[in-house]
Amino acid sequence: MQFRRVLLLIALVVSVAQLALAQTASERLEAVRKDPLRLRQFLEAMPKGGDLHNHLSGDVYAESFMQWAANDGFCIDDDKLAIVAKCEGTLVPAATALTSPLYQQMLDALSMRQFKGTMESGHDHFFATFSKFGAASRAHAADMMVEAVQRFGSENVDYLETIYAPDRGGASRLGFELTKGADFKSMRDQLLAGTSMKAVIADARKTLDDAEAAVKTQLKCGTPDAMAGCRVDVRIVDEVHRGIPREALFAELVVGFELASIDPRVVGINPVMPEDGYVSMTTFNDLMQMFAYLRPLYPNIRISTHAGELAPGLVPPEGLRFHIRDSVMIAKAERIGHGVDIARETNAPELLRTMAKRGVAVEICLTSNDVILGVRGKDHPLPMYLRNHVPVALASDDPGVSRIDLTNEFQRAVEEFGLTYAELKKLVRNSIEYSFLAGESLFVNHDYAKRACTASCDAFAEKNAKARVQLKLEKRLAEFEK
Ligand SMILES: [Zn+2]
């Protein structure tokens, strides 16, 4: 009897001591804030919700593109340091390049690896990678998806909204058959009347089917050996290209809206390509007007735009004044990608208030803004958005090209901007709350203290994809904070 009492007493003392020792997640973060390696471990383990801004081909590492090029019998243009599908002349077979000094050069050319910026800008090098690996990325949609979801899953990201055009060029080709200079209505009517658009959409859906199937089999989903990527929910934001001729861009938009209307995997549209390019800058308003025309016809399809991915000097000062504003006010974008030049926009305080009021979220890509625009630290508007209560989510744009991951972006948010655990947690929750997942939110009015369901959240989550992913995230956060 006496012995059992002693044991009980010991157990009691131990658990009290454990309680006293148990740190909250916030204390754990503060304890490692100045220790980069331990901070990395903390942030990697932290559930990070979703990545809302990444380009599928940009998620992939150069090593994979080189391997696929070799497997496919592709070649390397060792002048341009680019992968080419057709081997001719003095081109080097990719298989040979794997074990030659060209391999290291190619890894650098296809990414920001070891980038020094002496002969070329980060901006030019970053954007040029996409065409250099284009031949390999076009042929490997499914493999790219497998690599992306597995890597994101491995760093505790549960949701991936990836920017990708599953039509692989088919939509823009339709544009070249349209009457040049025709108005929006007649161009859309032409597209809807023909059979070519249906074929392009069917082909795009097949690409997504194949990618989905590849994830399932290659990651062994649904089996006891299921890999980390299996728990990642994926949605596609269809990319349209702002630097191509008007009719081709319009055709891409119509295909995107039509595709998203019939395929629940495609949830939104996003215009891509360098915002400072000649066509992007000179036809910016045309793109806004296209959105203004098409959005009411497809009210359920969501819009995020690359806007304000600009910096002083990159374009004339006038060019920094209206891209975010017009995207919000004319295109009615629900999210802004980057938003770096916000402080230079006309009447920025009012624009920030509008964004906060309407819940227009900003996808913040710290490394991308650093390497492409040279904007970092005190020059970055992240604190400005936070101060003005504009919803913010951190995104990777893009882990393969920049050779980073989403954890890295969280680390920058802590090290460069001093964010606390509570602030990071809010950004994590934002990444699902402001995602384009269908269905209702788990929360009322974006208030993470107020749930839309009380007793039977599981039943509610069953009916709403967004709430389902949110409920999963809340459980994971609670587990992490234990
Ligand atoms: Zn982007």
Side-chain angles (χ1 to χ4, degrees):
M1 201 61 176
Q2 194 61 27
F3 182 64
R4 266 183 64 189
R5 263 194 205 158
V6 172
L7 274 187
L8 270 174
L9 192 67
I10 291 173
L12 191 70
V13 170
V14 167
S15 55
V16 168
Q18 274 174 339
L19 258 181
L21 280 175
Q23 283 179 306
T24 63
S26 172
E27 288 163 345
R28 273 153 58 204
L29 171 61
E30 293 315 316
V32 300
R33 175 180 288 280
K34 297 216 164 68
D35 180 340
L37 301 185
R38 287 169 67 213
L39 177 61
R40 162 80 206 184
Q41 290 174 322
F42 174 87
L43 294 171
E44 189 177 311
M46 180 179 176
K48 284 175 284 291
D51 187 316
L52 301 182
H53 190 130
N54 62 90
H55 301 256
L56 184 58
S57 62
D59 291 346
V60 174
Y61 270 63
E63 286 84 343
S64 304
F65 288 129
M66 286 299 288
Q67 189 61 57
W68 299 337
N71 297 351
D72 294 351
F74 286 5
C75 272
I76 305 298
D77 181 330
D78 57 351
D79 250 0
K80 295 187 178 133
L81 297 177
I83 297 171
V84 280
K86 226 167 132 196
C87 290
E88 50 193 17
T90 57
L91 298 179
V92 182
T96 312
L98 293 182
T99 51
S100 85
L102 183 56
Y103 183 64
Q104 298 292 330
Q105 276 178 280
M106 283 302 291
L107 298 186
D108 292 352
L110 302 181
S111 73
M112 297 306 286
R113 178 181 182 261
Q114 309 196 78
F115 179 71
K116 294 287 189 303
T118 45
M119 304 291 281
E120 130 198 79
S121 69
H123 170 285
D124 293 355
H125 190 88
F126 187 100
F127 286 116
T129 61
F130 290 87
S131 58
K132 288 178 180 170
F133 56 61
S137 67
R138 264 190 297 283
H140 289 271
D143 293 322
M144 293 196 297
M145 189 65 87
V146 172
E147 178 167 332
V149 298
Q150 175 57 19
R151 198 170 285 122
F152 278 111
S154 306
E155 57 160 333
N156 295 301
V157 176
D158 286 344
Y159 176 63
L160 178 63
E161 211 164 86
T162 191
I163 304 166
Y164 176 61
D167 64 276
R168 293 175 300 159
S172 65
R173 280 193 288 277
L174 295 175
F176 294 104
E177 291 157 24
L178 296 173
T179 315
K180 216 165 179 255
D183 64 30
F184 296 157
K185 182 178 184 308
S186 99
M187 286 199 286
R188 178 163 175 266
D189 288 347
Q190 287 177 55
L191 287 163
L192 292 175
T195 52
S196 317
M197 186 169 77
K198 289 192 180 71
V200 169
I201 289 175
D203 184 57
R205 299 191 71 187
K206 164 91 172 45
T207 300
L208 296 180
D209 290 344
D210 293 347
E212 214 171 43
V215 168
K216 250 190 206 143
T217 47
Q218 291 188 44
L219 301 184
K220 307 183 177 76
C221 300
T223 77
D225 301 323
M227 294 165 72
C230 295
R231 62 169 179 236
V232 180
D233 276 277
V234 180
R235 297 291 184 278
I236 307 292
V237 173
D238 185 53
E239 69 177 32
V240 298
H241 302 90
R242 63 194 340 159
I244 62 177
R246 174 180 177 271
E247 291 73 23
L249 173 58
F250 188 81
E252 286 193 339
L253 280 165
V254 174
V255 167
F257 277 112
E258 289 287 328
L259 172 62
S261 302
I262 56 167
D263 195 318
R265 293 170 295 192
V266 183
V267 289
I269 315 268
N270 193 331
V272 307
M273 287 174 74
E275 202 177 325
D276 55 296
Y278 175 76
V279 178
S280 310
M281 287 303 286
T282 51
T283 65
F284 189 83
N285 189 50
D286 290 351
L287 175 64
M288 295 298 106
Q289 295 307 326
M290 287 179 193
F291 276 123
Y293 172 75
L294 290 167
R295 293 222 57 191
L297 302 172
Y298 305 94
N300 297 325
I301 311 307
R302 320 290 296 275
I303 304 292
S304 174
T305 60
H306 283 73
E309 191 185 9
L310 299 169
L314 191 63
V315 296
E318 301 75 33
L320 299 168
R321 301 223 168 109
F322 60 94
H323 285 194
I324 301 174
R325 169 175 296 278
D326 287 1
S327 298
V328 172
M329 309 306 280
I330 301 173
K332 302 274 193 295
E334 288 149 300
R335 286 202 321 249
I336 294 295
H338 301 289
V340 176
D341 73 4
I342 184 73
R344 304 262 179 155
E345 291 256 341
T346 302
N347 202 352
E350 181 258 345
L351 178 57
L352 284 161
R353 276 196 298 279
T354 303
M355 291 171 76
K357 204 167 89 199
R358 286 193 192 170
V360 176
V362 182
E363 305 145 6
I364 294 284
C365 312
L366 297 171
T367 295
S368 168
N369 299 158
D370 184 358
V371 301
I372 295 176
L373 302 173
V375 174
R376 68 185 77 88
K378 285 194 172 69
D379 292 319
H380 199 281
L382 170 59
M384 181 176 272
Y385 282 120
L386 293 175
R387 245 189 345 264
N388 285 279
H389 311 291
V390 175
V392 160
L394 297 175
S396 63
D397 183 55
D398 293 304
V401 174
S402 288
R403 319 257 316 169
I404 53 157
D405 55 14
L406 191 56
T407 303
N408 183 75
E409 302 306 277
F410 275 69
Q411 183 140 7
R412 289 187 78 134
V414 172
E415 290 178 340
E416 276 177 49
F417 300 93
L419 263 56
T420 62
Y421 180 76
E423 287 169 319
L424 291 182
K425 185 175 174 181
K426 186 161 188 193
L427 305 197
V428 166
R429 284 166 150 174
N430 286 349
S431 72
I432 308 299
E433 176 74 4
Y434 296 93
S435 74
F436 292 162
L437 274 164
E440 300 212 20
S441 167
L442 183 63
F443 303 104
V444 181
N445 290 332
H446 310 303
D447 181 349
Y448 300 134
K450 265 193 228 143
R451 289 205 180 185
C453 49
T454 43
S456 61
C457 282
D458 286 328
F460 181 73
E462 195 74 27
K463 279 183 259 150
N464 297 287
K466 181 183 281 184
R468 177 175 55 74
V469 176
Q470 287 175 313
L471 197 59
K472 184 165 91 172
L473 175 62
E474 291 303 311
K475 284 177 186 161
R476 293 197 69 198
L477 283 167
E479 186 65 31
F480 177 72
E481 289 167 6
K482 253 188 205 164

